Amino acid sequence: HENNQTALYNRSKKEFFLRARVISDDEAVTDETSEQERSKRRVLVRYSKGATYRVRAYNLLSVLEPSVHKDALPPLVVVTPETHIYRRIAKVHTTPEDSFMEIGCDYGITVDKIQTSIEEAGDVPKEWPRETCGNEVAVDEKKEDDSIIPRVTCIGVDRSLESIDIANDRYPKCKFLLVNVLVSEEMTTLRTTCESCLQGEAPTVVCVDINGNREIDGVLRCVQMIMNEKWKRQPRMIIVKSRFLYWDLKERNK
């Protein structure tokens, strides 16, 4: 009994997201709808393998997809004070269409979580492909070129050699680089490295965790250097973990 309880507790602590697309939301909600009725409202969604299910609406988290954020727009910058919220935002909004980079990756835990989420959460196209007829066979005409260096989806950077060595050893599916992004020459080297080994040649989602209590000026300088760099494609989202910056913004917006 104790083992079952422990297993249940451990499962409840682990957040796991499956991507789904809403295909029908026909249960009307008005200003008069009670909280209890709202909590019971269900919407029809489709998962990545095609299965459909009516799920409770309050269990759904909206995702800012790459197609929603136009290239001409500046990156959306999200600031959070806590690690668990920071990682949750990154997991929810980094889709299989994205390339991910974390600045201040330490031992690579967040980078690995995003890599796993991309692999396991699935993806659902806006238009579901029609089923092929009985005699039709899908043919993939793409041929692999052995001379092409495999690209990774997730990259982590840190200025600690020890952290980078440990991260590369623990998480071989990702790539970890020794970089101080506050040095302009090293930031430029990072950009050229992304062009050669990262999917899409540049990150579309960038996380910044250069210690949650670092002075605001250092965090803002890091964000500014990301935005000013001449990436092949600009990041659509920058997620920052900084307690000082978060509370400073809260005070300014009172």
Side-chain angles (χ1 to χ4, degrees):
H1 175 70
E2 288 183 356
N3 289 337
N4 290 338
Q5 288 289 92
T6 301
L8 179 62
Y9 174 71
N10 288 334
R11 284 199 300 272
S12 68
K13 287 204 308 179
K14 180 182 179 182
E15 287 187 320
F16 180 71
F17 300 100
L18 287 178
R19 297 194 181 278
R21 191 173 295 278
V22 175
I23 56 178
S24 177
D25 183 6
D26 51 12
E27 295 186 18
V29 175
T30 66
D31 292 340
E32 287 73 34
T33 306
S34 68
E35 285 299 319
Q36 185 175 9
E37 290 174 319
R38 289 173 186 267
S39 69
K40 293 180 180 179
R41 186 172 73 89
R42 290 181 178 268
V43 298
L44 183 65
V45 303
R46 174 178 283 122
Y47 293 102
S48 61
K49 293 184 179 180
T52 59
Y53 189 72
R54 297 192 74 87
V55 301
R56 292 187 184 273
Y58 72 78
N59 284 334
L60 297 175
L61 297 172
S62 298
V63 176
L64 180 63
E65 295 186 295
S67 59
V68 175
H69 193 92
K70 304 301 181 183
D71 292 340
L73 295 174
L76 173 66
V77 180
V78 180
V79 181
T80 178
E82 303 298 338
T83 299
H84 70 282
I85 302 174
Y86 164 82
R87 287 175 176 167
R88 189 181 201 198
I89 294 170
K91 285 175 67 176
V92 168
H93 295 291
T94 305
T95 75
E97 299 175 53
D98 286 304
S99 295
F100 176 83
M101 179 170 71
E102 184 181 33
I103 294 172
C105 66
D106 196 27
Y107 297 143
I109 295 173
T110 299
V111 179
D112 176 65
K113 285 181 180 292
I114 303 307
Q115 176 70 41
T116 301
S117 177
I118 289 174
E119 292 175 349
E120 296 182 355
D123 191 24
V124 189
K126 289 184 178 179
E127 294 185 8
W128 194 254
R130 296 178 181 178
E131 293 183 5
T132 57
C133 298
N135 294 327
E136 293 181 5
V137 179
V139 178
D140 186 358
E141 296 182 350
K142 294 180 181 179
K143 296 182 180 180
E144 292 186 1
D145 186 346
D146 293 337
S147 65
I148 297 176
I149 300 174
R151 292 178 178 268
V152 296
T153 305
C154 299
I155 278 181
V157 303
D158 202 282
R159 60 181 187 177
S160 165
L161 177 59
E162 179 188 8
S163 296
I164 291 302
D165 286 344
I166 291 173
N168 274 315
D169 184 58
R170 287 181 178 175
Y171 309 117
K173 289 185 178 180
C174 308
K175 189 174 185 66
F176 298 92
L177 305 169
L178 183 67
V179 178
N180 182 354
V181 297
L182 298 181
V183 177
S184 58
E185 293 82 4
E186 294 194 34
M187 174 62 93
T188 300
T189 301
L190 174 60
R191 171 175 56 82
T192 57
T193 302
C194 287
E195 291 172 1
S196 64
C197 69
L198 185 64
Q199 293 283 0
E201 301 183 319
T204 51
V205 177
V206 179
C207 279
V208 178
D209 182 9
I210 51 175
N211 295 329
N213 293 325
R214 181 180 286 271
E215 292 182 4
I216 293 174
D217 289 347
V219 176
L220 291 177
R221 185 180 167 208
C222 179
V223 172
Q224 194 65 53
M225 291 191 72
I226 296 168
M227 298 177 72
N228 289 343
E229 191 57 48
K230 297 178 181 179
W231 306 99
K232 282 289 185 75
R233 53 177 180 173
Q234 287 299 311
R236 66 182 183 89
M237 181 179 288
I238 300 173
I239 305 166
V240 181
K241 195 202 87 174
S242 170
R243 291 189 182 94
F244 285 175
L245 181 57
Y246 176 84
W247 289 112
D248 181 71
L249 293 172
K250 289 276 285 187
E251 287 296 319
R252 291 170 183 266
N253 288 302
K254 278 186 176 179

